């Protein structure tokens, strides 16, 4: 928008002046040379945050004439290559300056074409850029791999992710709150710096801005620490940065639609989006950013009347295929491999439904044959239908003093355990139903039953005492001795949507247990008990009779030697059902995460100011402590840069809106500031502000994807501001000195450790 408006104003002012006679253009007073500004895709107005501007009325790739004697251009040319010419004076009207530029342009076109640069100089320049990229990459890997074997003990979440690697090797199924892709990588954190370097170079066309960004990330202790451990965050950040780079590269190919580079970068963007979401669900933030960029692009194309509807349809189809179908296919393929590899029973079985477990080799439900209908005397496990709640469970520990009645605890437990076994008995009989002389009696809908805990011989019991954590719910306990108790042990079993007298089917029937005396319904609140409850989940008897998943159960294991068995193979779920269930379990697991002992949780407002870090090593494990904390110079400079960017971008936006004319040099730098910086600011916002809305436990490391964007914005901003300051100076040597010394000062400042 800034570029378009200023060019339109200049063209309008110049057109108001009398034209020079043909062939009589005034000769320039000093040598001039041409500087080419590459064109950029036209975009809807008002979206400066994501770097989108209205297409200028003049053709892209317009040539302008600048006087020699300016500050050297940003290495790499392009937008920032609007070489910073020292101001020789402030006299003269804007119209006169515009007319002078127009006259100079005519004179330039009348001259013979300029000789192209020698091939040897081009090769030398290209070799220099590759050498600089190699140096940045080498520095990144050297800093990340230095003392990689220290400390010799496991740090923080390496406890989980290290074990997950062994689970994959042994093909043992486990549960994790994150998608599966991140478990396959461990060293991609070293690639963050080269990716950030290339992204800023593409946005600013300035080697000094890219080098400053690389230095910020190289010397940041937080990024360094996070990249040296078996964690998901470096892998997530790799895919985020790769998606950002490929999106920027794809934008730069907008003037060559459907070319090979255009297809390559568009497809690579989709691949990286699948990778980001496949590591952690917060990868959704970069998907939203790319989605906004794509919508803006399509909206601009829709407003281009020179494009036919067929061409618009091709653009839309290409983006659907590369940015929706391709990422979705890769994401689903990741889960297909995950489930294909992990086909053995493991510690994660209990988080999933009984039908899901039936597909796991080694699970007692896999290829199992169990009695189909529930009968008295059967030994059973009862599983809650709400995701990640688990099995009805009891153990020999009592509720502490002051927490209801001091009776045996009843909880839900996510894992297979002998304490999950219950014996179903009649409420008014103590005879052994498994006696061969007695006939088999099936449990039917509406029966009054008693559930006796197999390991402790205490009955499932409830009374009017309040539940431990949930107000207005009743406590559930284990009561009695050797199966003898009182009337508070009686429960009526009901099958959802069935008639009285119907038999109860294993795995298939959805049942509720209603307490006969109080009329409450057995359920789980999903709340985690304190340490006295072994951090298992609370079981309550709710007086609210509304049907919810937390109060609905199914019978899973069923042992009764008097009954014939049926195969459970027919109950195995399809792949879409597995995908849906796994995502529901992961989302609930994420929301239910609790901090460990001695862990430092934090709030989002703590993160940008580097207020509090995260301890990686245990407090008493070793003298070698690892603490995750950012470099204060880098982090506070990033925070200052965000505020400074908002101020400077607002000044430029207001100036253009008021019709102010900007010199050509300032116009080019303003495009870098608003266009490239807007993309980075938008990325920072998308990866930071959503955490204020999250109810889960948060840690310092959640800010690092946003920190990448703020560091890139810092490099781009300060390089642009220093060039603007240098442009305002009258002396060329002084201007060059200001820019070089400013960049060097920032580079040296980031090396603080």
């Amino acid at each position: 928008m800034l570029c378009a408006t200023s060019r339109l104003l200049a063209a309008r002012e110049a057109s108001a002046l009398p034209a020079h006679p043909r062939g009589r253009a005034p000769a320039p007073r000093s040598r001039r040379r041409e500087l080419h500004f590459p064109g950029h895709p036209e975009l809807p107005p008002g979206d400066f945050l994501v770097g989108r501007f209205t297409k200028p009325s003049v053709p892209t790739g317009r040539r302008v004439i600048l006087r020699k004697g300016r500050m050297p251009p940003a290495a790499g040319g392009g937008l920032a290559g609007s070489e910073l010419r020292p101001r020789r004076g402030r006299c003269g009207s804007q119209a006169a300056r515009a007319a002078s530029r127009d006259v100079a342009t005519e004179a330039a076109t009348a001259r013979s074409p300029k000789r192209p640069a020698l091939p040897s100089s081009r090769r030398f320049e290209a070799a220099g850029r590759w050498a600089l990229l190699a140096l940045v990459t080498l520095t990144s890997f050297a800093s990340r791999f230095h003392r990689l074997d220290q400390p010799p003990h496991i740090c923080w979440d390496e406890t989980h992710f290290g074990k997950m690697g062994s689970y994959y090797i042994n093909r043992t199924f486990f549960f994790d709150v994150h998608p599966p892709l991140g478990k396959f990588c461990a060293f991609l954190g070293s690639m963050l710096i080269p990716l950030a370097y290339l992204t800023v170079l593409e946005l600013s066309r300035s080697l000094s801005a890219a080098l400053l960004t690389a230095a910020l990330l190289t010397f940041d202790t937080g990024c360094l620490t996070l990249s040296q451990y078996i964690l998901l965050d470096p892998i997530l950040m790799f895919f985020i940065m790769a998606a950002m780079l490929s999106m920027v590269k794809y934008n730069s190919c907008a003037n060559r639609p459907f070319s090979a580079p255009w297809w390559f970068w568009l497809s690579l963007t989709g691949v990286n989006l699948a990778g980001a979401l496949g590591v952690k669900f917060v990868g959704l933030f970069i998907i939203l950013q790319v989605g906004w960029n794509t919508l803006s692009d399509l909206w601009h194309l829709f407003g281009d009347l020179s494009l036919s509807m067929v061409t618009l349809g091709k653009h839309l189809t290409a983006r659907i295929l590369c940015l929706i179908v391709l990422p979705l296919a890769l994401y689903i393929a990741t889960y297909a491999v995950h489930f294909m590899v992990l086909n053995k029973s493991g510690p994660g079985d209990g988080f999933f439904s009984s039908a899901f477990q039936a597909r796991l080799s080694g699970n007692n439900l896999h290829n199992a044959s169990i009695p189909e209908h529930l009968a008295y005397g059967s030994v059973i496990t009862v599983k809650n239908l709400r995701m990640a709640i688990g099995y009805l469970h009891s153990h020999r520990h009592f509720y502490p003093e002051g927490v209801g009645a001091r009776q045996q605890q009843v909880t839900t437990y996510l894992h297979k355990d002998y304490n999950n076994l219950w014996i179903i008995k009649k409420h008014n009989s103590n005879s052994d139903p498994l006696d061969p002389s007695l006939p088999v009696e099936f449990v039917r809908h509406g029966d009054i039953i008693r559930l006796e805990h197999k390991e402790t011989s205490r009955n499932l019991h409830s009374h009017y005492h309040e539940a431990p954590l949930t107000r207005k719910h009743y406590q559930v306990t284990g009561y009695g001795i050797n199966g003898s108790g009182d009337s508070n042990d009686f429960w009526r079993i009901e099958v959802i949507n069935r008639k009285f007298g119907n038999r109860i089917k294993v795995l298939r029937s959805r049942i509720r247990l209603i307490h006969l005396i109080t009329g409450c319904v057995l359920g789980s609140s999903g709340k985690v008990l304190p340490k006295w409850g072994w951090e298992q989940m609370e079981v309550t008897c709710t007086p609210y009779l509304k049907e919810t998943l937390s109060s609905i159960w199914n019978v899973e294991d069923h042992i009764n030697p008097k009954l014939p068995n049926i195969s459970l193979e027919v109950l195995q779920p399809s792949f879409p059902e597995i995908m849906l269930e796994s995502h529901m379990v992961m989302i609930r697991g994420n929301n239910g995460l609790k901090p460990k002992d001695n862990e430092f949780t934090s709030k989002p407002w703590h993160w940008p100011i580097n207020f509090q870090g995260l301890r990686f090593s245990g407090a008493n494990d070793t003298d070698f402590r690892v603490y995750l904390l950012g470099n204060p110079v880098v982090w506070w400079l990033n925070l200052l840069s965000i505020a400074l960017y908002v101020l400077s971008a607002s000044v430029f936006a207001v100036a253009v809106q008021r019709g102010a004319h900007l010199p050509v040099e300032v116009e080019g730098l303003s495009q870098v500031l608003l266009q490239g910086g807007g993309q980075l600011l938008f990325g920072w916002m998308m990866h930071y502000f959503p955490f204020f809305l999250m109810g889960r436990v948060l840690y310092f490391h959640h800010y690092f994807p946003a920190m990448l964007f703020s560091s890139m914005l810092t490099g781009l901003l300060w390089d642009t501001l220093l060039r603007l300051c240098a442009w305002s100076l009258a002396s060329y040597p002084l201007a060059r000195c200001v820019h070089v010394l400013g960049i060097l000062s920032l580079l040296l400042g980031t090396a603080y450790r």
Side-chain angles (χ1 to χ4, degrees):
M1 183 172 64
L2 177 60
C3 173
T5 307
S6 59
R7 288 180 178 175
L8 284 171
L9 289 172
R12 186 179 303 152
E13 292 170 357
S15 63
L17 297 175
H20 292 282
R22 182 180 299 273
R24 298 182 58 188
R29 296 184 179 179
S30 61
R31 288 183 58 194
R32 300 172 183 264
R33 68 178 176 183
E34 296 180 348
L35 179 66
H36 181 68
F37 291 93
H40 290 270
E42 50 179 301
L43 294 150
D47 291 343
F48 82 93
L49 270 180
V50 290
R52 311 312 251 163
F53 298 91
T54 308
K55 183 178 180 180
S57 59
V58 295
T60 59
R62 183 189 66 171
R63 295 181 179 270
V64 297
I65 309 302
L66 301 178
R67 292 183 181 273
K68 192 178 179 182
R70 301 176 294 264
M71 181 177 178
L79 285 175
S82 57
E83 306 175 1
L84 305 178
R85 175 176 57 82
R87 292 184 177 176
R88 302 294 183 183
R90 298 176 181 268
C91 58
S93 65
Q94 292 182 359
R97 290 196 295 271
S100 175
R101 283 198 305 274
D102 187 61
V103 169
T105 304
E106 293 179 8
T109 56
R111 294 198 305 266
S112 60
K114 198 176 175 183
R115 281 190 307 174
L118 295 175
S120 59
S121 63
R122 292 180 179 177
R123 288 196 296 267
F124 179 78
E125 182 182 357
R129 292 182 184 177
W130 281 108
L132 195 55
L133 176 60
L135 178 63
V136 168
T137 305
L138 181 63
T139 305
S140 173
F141 274 83
S143 61
R144 270 57 185 168
F145 280 84
H146 177 62
R147 301 182 68 184
L148 192 60
D149 59 338
Q150 296 295 325
H153 57 267
I154 294 174
C155 291
W156 200 45
D157 274 357
E158 285 188 321
T159 304
H160 307 298
F161 302 129
K163 286 191 298 185
M164 291 173 186
S166 66
Y167 288 145
Y168 275 111
I169 294 173
N170 298 321
R171 308 189 70 174
T172 302
F173 185 78
F174 64 92
F175 168 70
D176 184 33
V177 297
H178 303 299
L181 183 59
K183 288 74 173 180
F184 293 101
C185 310
F187 60 90
L188 295 180
S190 299
M191 290 298 298
L192 294 177
I193 296 173
L195 291 174
Y197 170 88
L198 292 172
T199 301
V200 174
L201 184 61
E202 185 68 28
L203 289 173
S204 67
R205 301 293 183 178
S206 171
L207 282 177
S208 53
L211 282 174
L212 181 55
T213 298
L216 291 169
L217 296 177
T218 299
F219 296 111
D220 178 58
T221 53
C223 283
L224 175 63
T225 303
L226 204 61
S227 299
Q228 290 188 317
Y229 298 93
I230 306 175
L231 303 172
L232 300 185
D233 300 271
I235 310 163
L236 169 69
M237 293 190 291
F238 167 81
F239 282 112
I240 289 175
M241 289 305 305
M244 184 67 186
L245 175 61
S246 54
M247 183 191 75
V248 170
K249 287 282 191 180
Y250 149 71
N251 285 340
S252 68
C253 297
N255 58 343
R256 293 174 293 160
F258 309 112
S259 63
W262 187 88
W263 279 110
F264 173 78
W265 291 113
L266 183 64
S267 302
L268 189 59
T269 302
V271 172
N272 290 320
L273 292 180
L277 189 62
V279 176
K280 277 189 174 185
F281 285 139
V282 293
L284 178 64
F285 301 152
I286 188 64
I287 293 178
L288 294 177
Q289 182 173 4
V290 173
W292 180 258
N293 178 84
T294 304
L295 289 176
S296 300
D297 216 7
L298 290 172
W299 183 252
H300 143 67
L301 292 172
F302 183 72
D304 189 349
L305 300 182
S306 65
L307 298 179
S308 65
M309 295 304 296
V310 174
T311 303
L312 289 176
K314 291 180 179 178
H315 277 281
L316 178 61
T317 303
R319 286 158 177 81
I320 291 176
L321 290 176
C322 295
L323 300 180
I324 297 178
V325 176
L326 177 60
L328 188 60
L330 292 175
Y331 183 73
I332 293 175
T334 302
Y335 275 91
V337 173
H338 175 73
F339 292 129
M340 181 178 65
V341 173
L342 303 182
N343 61 355
K344 297 181 181 179
S345 179
D349 295 13
F351 291 89
F352 292 83
S353 68
S354 306
F356 185 99
Q357 296 177 44
R359 55 174 293 277
L360 298 174
S361 174
N363 189 283
N364 60 338
L365 297 177
H366 180 69
N367 293 332
S369 296
I370 62 175
E372 181 180 11
H373 295 100
L374 192 62
Y376 288 105
S378 297
V379 178
I380 63 173
T381 59
V382 183
K383 185 177 175 63
N384 195 278
L385 262 62
R386 186 176 174 183
M387 297 296 178
I389 292 296
Y391 301 91
L392 188 65
H393 177 94
S394 188
H395 40 239
R396 298 185 183 275
H397 301 277
F398 283 23
Y399 288 101
E401 290 287 350
V403 182
R406 187 167 171 76
Q407 297 175 5
Q408 184 170 295
Q409 297 176 17
V410 173
T411 63
T412 56
Y413 188 52
L414 286 167
H415 305 286
K416 298 282 188 178
D417 192 88
Y418 285 110
N419 282 322
N420 300 339
L421 297 176
W422 301 82
I423 304 173
I424 187 166
K425 295 185 175 182
K426 289 187 174 182
H427 74 288
N428 55 359
S429 174
N430 289 322
S431 60
D432 184 8
L434 298 181
D435 187 342
S437 62
L438 298 177
V440 174
E441 289 190 66
F442 291 102
V443 181
R444 299 178 183 274
H445 174 56
D447 282 2
I448 308 299
I449 65 168
R450 178 166 51 89
L451 286 177
E452 180 182 317
H453 190 241
K454 187 175 186 299
E455 294 296 311
T456 62
S457 299
R458 288 191 169 93
N459 298 325
L460 184 69
H461 178 97
S462 186
H463 42 226
Y464 286 107
H465 291 273
E466 192 172 67
L469 302 179
T470 307
R471 298 183 59 188
K472 299 183 179 180
H473 285 210
Y474 301 139
Q475 183 186 33
V476 177
T477 67
Y479 179 75
I481 300 175
N482 294 325
S484 61
D486 59 23
S487 58
N488 280 323
D489 303 337
F490 301 157
W491 302 81
R492 184 173 69 252
I493 187 168
E494 294 184 354
V495 183
I496 304 299
N497 299 326
R498 291 292 185 271
K499 297 179 180 179
F500 280 91
N502 284 2
R503 295 181 181 181
I504 296 174
K505 295 183 178 181
V506 175
L507 294 180
R508 298 179 182 177
S509 293
R510 301 167 46 157
I511 63 175
R512 295 202 307 166
L513 295 172
I514 299 177
H515 194 245
L516 197 61
I517 301 299
T518 62
C520 59
V521 181
L522 183 72
S524 175
S525 65
K527 297 177 181 178
V528 178
L529 294 169
K531 290 183 179 179
W532 55 256
W534 302 95
E535 297 182 345
Q536 297 173 6
M537 293 188 183
E538 179 191 40
V539 170
T540 68
C541 198
T542 171
Y544 308 106
L545 302 182
K546 182 180 178 181
E547 291 183 6
T548 61
L549 288 179
S550 60
S551 62
I552 300 177
W553 310 77
N554 73 276
V555 177
E556 183 175 288
D557 297 289
H558 184 203
I559 303 171
N560 193 318
K562 298 175 67 174
L563 295 175
N565 295 331
I566 63 165
S567 175
L568 298 181
E569 202 172 312
V570 295
L571 299 179
Q572 293 188 15
S574 63
F575 180 74
E577 292 172 330
I578 294 173
M579 280 281 294
L580 178 61
E581 181 175 348
S582 62
H583 279 74
M584 294 178 67
V585 173
M586 284 188 291
I587 292 172
R588 175 160 179 80
N590 256 307
N591 294 332
L593 287 177
K594 300 296 180 183
K596 306 171 189 175
D597 292 338
N598 301 317
E599 272 191 340
F600 293 155
T601 61
S602 57
K603 297 182 179 179
W605 70 266
H606 293 166
W607 302 338
I609 61 176
N610 209 24
F611 179 75
Q612 177 179 276
L614 182 64
R615 182 168 51 223
F616 269 22
S617 288
N620 301 315
D621 290 344
T622 176
D623 292 332
F624 196 113
R625 307 288 174 83
V626 179
Y627 191 78
L628 178 67
L629 189 67
N631 183 333
V633 173
V634 174
W635 286 60
W636 296 340
L637 180 62
N638 287 348
L639 186 61
L640 173 65
S641 300
I642 291 172
L644 192 59
Y645 174 82
V646 173
L647 178 63
S648 58
S650 301
V651 169
F652 276 109
V654 170
V656 172
Q657 188 67 20
R658 295 295 299 169
H661 171 71
L662 299 176
V664 175
E665 299 89 341
V666 178
E667 180 184 346
L669 291 175
S670 66
Q671 288 186 27
V672 173
L673 190 65
L674 292 176
Q675 209 168 337
Q679 287 276 14
L680 300 176
L681 180 66
F682 187 68
W684 176 79
M685 294 168 59
M686 287 300 301
H687 288 83
Y688 176 51
F689 288 120
F691 286 101
F692 285 93
L693 306 177
M694 293 186 183
R696 57 155 291 174
V697 59
L698 297 174
Y699 298 99
F700 178 59
H701 71 93
H702 288 132
Y703 181 69
F704 278 84
M707 183 265 179
L708 294 176
F709 285 92
S710 63
S711 297
M712 291 189 291
L713 179 61
T714 298
L716 184 145
L717 172 71
W718 285 99
D719 176 73
T720 304
L721 293 182
L722 286 171
R723 290 182 177 277
L724 285 171
C725 293
W727 171 84
S728 66
L729 299 174
S731 170
Y732 168 70
L734 180 60
R736 182 181 182 87
C737 183
V738 166
H739 181 261
V740 172
L741 288 179
I743 294 295
L744 288 177
S745 299
L746 290 170
L747 289 174
L748 293 175
T750 59
Y752 169 83
R753 305 288 277 192

